[in-house]
Structure formats: structure tokens, C-alpha cells
Amino acid sequence: MSPKLYPNLVELPGPYVTLYFSPNTEQRAREFANRCQRACQFLSPTLKFEAEICVLVLAPEHWQECTGSPMYGVPQTIDQRTLVVAGQNSELWTMITPPLADLSPAVAQAMQVAYGQPDGSIDLAAYMNLLAVHEMGHLYLDQAAGTFDFNLPRRWLVELFCQLCLHAYAAIEEPEQLPRLETFPKTIMAGGVAHLSYKTLDDFERLYADMEPPNFVWYLCQLHLAARRIFDAGGVETLQRLWQMLIQSNEKLPDEQLALRLRTEVHPAVEHVLTRWPD
Ligand SMILES: [Zn+2]
């Protein structure tokens, strides 16, 4: 018998996704299993690519050994086939949630409707748990990269692709979740940019996650709202075109040439992310 891959975790096999969970996270693990199976059934035919997906749903005590990072609660991929999500709520989620008192009454009300708990607190879990589908987008690209040996043109474009995977999945497969997916990014955008150290796409290429978490979250929220605009303008076909463009790219183009390819091969709304950032 081969040794167990994750001896401290419980295996939950499925037809499209294999999942392992910390023993005290079973309920959330089953929710992730359902969502990730559905997302595979959506993404594989949409992208015409079969990815091998393994999901780890972890309690804090198993996080660092699996991810190498003490930052519990950041959904992430750890290799070309494995994504890691939190099986319990994280203090980090509280840290990136603006205090309701700092928000306009309308925005605070929207946060309460989307994430409010009976005791009046805000619980971002419903938003954070959806991000597993974003991470699946990374796994599809990483595995296609192994197959096609391409050179991804920009980090922000990869993140935009993953946000578009997530938004298209939610809009088509779990539309009742859209308020939970969209309210947090809208709240972050409503906070403006005056408090940010970095806000250009060049900064994002240079630093990526090497910035304060709230600043990185701002970029991902901005890219999510762009993904929503792109989906509303061009539908799931734009996701398919962006995927094709990414897996066929083999060089780092200058901005002008990239803009031209995005406009002609994908959709003008994708070009606008580059040329009109951060609108
Ligand atoms: Zn990402």
C-alpha cells in the first residue's frame, strides 16, 4: 500500500475533484466539495480542458505545514493540481473588512444584507469560500501551461482570467450567490484609493502579493468588478476567448501590442482593463 498523501487529513473522493479536510472542518469541506465539483463541470467543457483538481480544506493547525505560510485564510494554490482553502473563519478576513462605522449608510446596509450575522457582526466566509473557483482558474492555466509551454503575458491578466472564471461560474451556476460575491468588492471600491500605496498595473506586475494584504485585496476587487463588466458585455464566450489567447501566448508583448490583441482576439472590454485602469 502506498503511504497516505495527507496522513492528518480525511479523504473525500469525488468524480471530478479529490478533497482532503482537517477532521474538524467536515461541514464546510462538504460545501467546498459540492462547489468545486460543480465548478469543474462548468469549467472543463467551457475551456475544453480537463484539469486534475485536488482541494485541501484546512483548520489552522494544518495550514502552515501545507502552505508554508502562517497567513491562515488566504485561498491559494500550492502546486499545479492542489488548491488550499480555510475550513474555519480567519482573523485575516476581519482585518480586510472595513469597519461598518467607516462606510456610508448605503454601503454599510449592503454589507449587513450580504454578510451580517444575528449578533450584528460581519462574516466574510460566504465571499471567501467562493474564491475557491478563482483558484481553480489558476490550476486550469497552470496545467495547460505544462501542456502547451506558453508564456503568460501579465500577472494582472491571469488574475482577471481567474476572476472571470469565478464570476461566470457564479452568474450561470449559483446566481443566488451573486450578492455575496459582488458586495465586498463594491465596498472596497467605495473606499477609494487615497489610502493605497500602490494602484497601477505596473505596480501589480512588479510587486504582486508582496504588498500589504488590503492593497492586494483592492487589486483583486478591482479586477473582479472588471470581470463582471466583461461578462455582462460579452458573456461566457469572452472567457473562452481570453483562455485561448492566454494559452496561445508565447511572449511578453509591450502594452500597445497587448491592447491590440485583447481588443481583436478577446473583447474591447478586456482591452479597457489595460487602457482605462483603474476605471
Ligand atoms: Zn489569483
Side-chain angles (χ1 to χ4, degrees):
M1 242 177 85
S2 61
K4 275 189 72 182
L5 195 51
Y6 300 105
N8 299 324
L9 306 181
V10 183
E11 185 175 357
L12 190 63
Y16 302 98
V17 169
T18 300
L19 184 144
Y20 298 85
F21 63 93
S22 300
N24 49 352
T25 66
E26 180 164 356
Q27 190 190 342
R28 203 166 276 187
R30 291 191 182 279
E31 292 166 12
F32 277 117
N34 284 336
R35 174 166 287 149
C36 293
Q37 304 280 4
R38 279 178 82 174
C40 258
Q41 288 172 279
F42 170 74
L43 289 172
S44 292
T46 299
L47 305 178
K48 299 186 173 58
F49 186 86
E50 300 283 334
E52 190 188 339
I53 307 282
C54 176
V55 182
L56 308 185
V57 181
L58 300 180
E61 60 267 29
H62 294 139
W63 190 266
Q64 183 140 13
E65 67 183 91
C66 288
T67 66
S69 162
M71 296 246 283
Y72 183 71
V74 183
Q76 59 193 276
T77 61
I78 54 169
D79 59 36
Q80 284 196 350
R81 63 184 285 271
T82 311
L83 71 91
V84 180
V85 289
Q88 299 172 11
N89 286 4
S90 160
E91 283 173 21
L92 191 75
W93 304 350
T94 313
M95 187 193 131
I96 61 170
T97 306
L100 292 187
D102 294 355
L103 304 174
S104 74
V107 174
Q109 166 75 8
M111 287 290 284
Q112 279 288 2
V113 170
Y115 314 113
Q117 301 301 300
D119 66 359
S121 65
I122 293 295
D123 179 355
L124 220 51
Y127 170 78
M128 297 302 301
N129 294 349
L130 280 160
L131 299 184
V133 183
H134 169 112
E135 297 305 321
M136 288 175 66
H138 280 293
L139 296 181
Y140 273 78
L141 264 184
D142 289 350
Q143 290 178 36
T147 308
F148 298 116
D149 191 26
F150 60 86
N151 192 352
L152 292 166
R154 297 288 188 281
R155 286 165 147 175
W156 67 261
L157 197 54
V158 170
E159 296 304 324
L160 178 67
F161 167 79
C162 294
Q163 295 296 52
L164 191 52
C165 287
L166 168 58
H167 190 85
Y169 165 78
I172 292 168
E173 299 291 334
E174 295 195 60
E176 72 283 0
Q177 295 296 332
L178 282 176
R180 294 181 192 95
L181 178 62
E182 295 181 338
T183 302
F184 178 71
K186 285 180 189 165
T187 298
I188 295 300
M189 289 306 113
V193 298
H195 61 295
L196 299 174
S197 302
Y198 306 105
K199 41 190 181 281
T200 68
L201 288 176
D202 285 343
D203 287 336
F204 189 73
E205 289 309 295
R206 192 164 48 84
L207 296 165
Y208 198 52
D210 200 10
M211 59 177 77
E212 291 297 312
N215 205 154
F216 189 69
V217 165
W218 177 83
Y219 277 100
L220 291 183
C221 289
Q222 180 77 25
L223 288 166
H224 175 256
L225 294 184
R228 187 183 76 152
R229 278 199 302 276
I230 290 162
F231 183 79
D232 290 346
V236 77
E237 195 184 312
T238 313
L239 172 60
Q240 294 168 317
R241 285 165 169 259
L242 180 56
W243 164 259
Q244 284 300 325
M245 189 240 158
L246 285 172
I247 64 174
Q248 288 167 11
S249 58
N250 49 21
E251 56 186 333
K252 299 256 182 218
L253 301 169
D255 278 357
E256 299 72 31
Q257 288 180 36
L258 180 62
L260 178 66
R261 286 196 62 182
L262 292 173
R263 178 168 73 247
T264 54
E265 294 175 34
V266 188
H267 195 286
V270 182
E271 180 205 5
H272 292 164
V273 181
L274 173 60
T275 57
R276 297 181 187 177
W277 182 270
D279 286 337

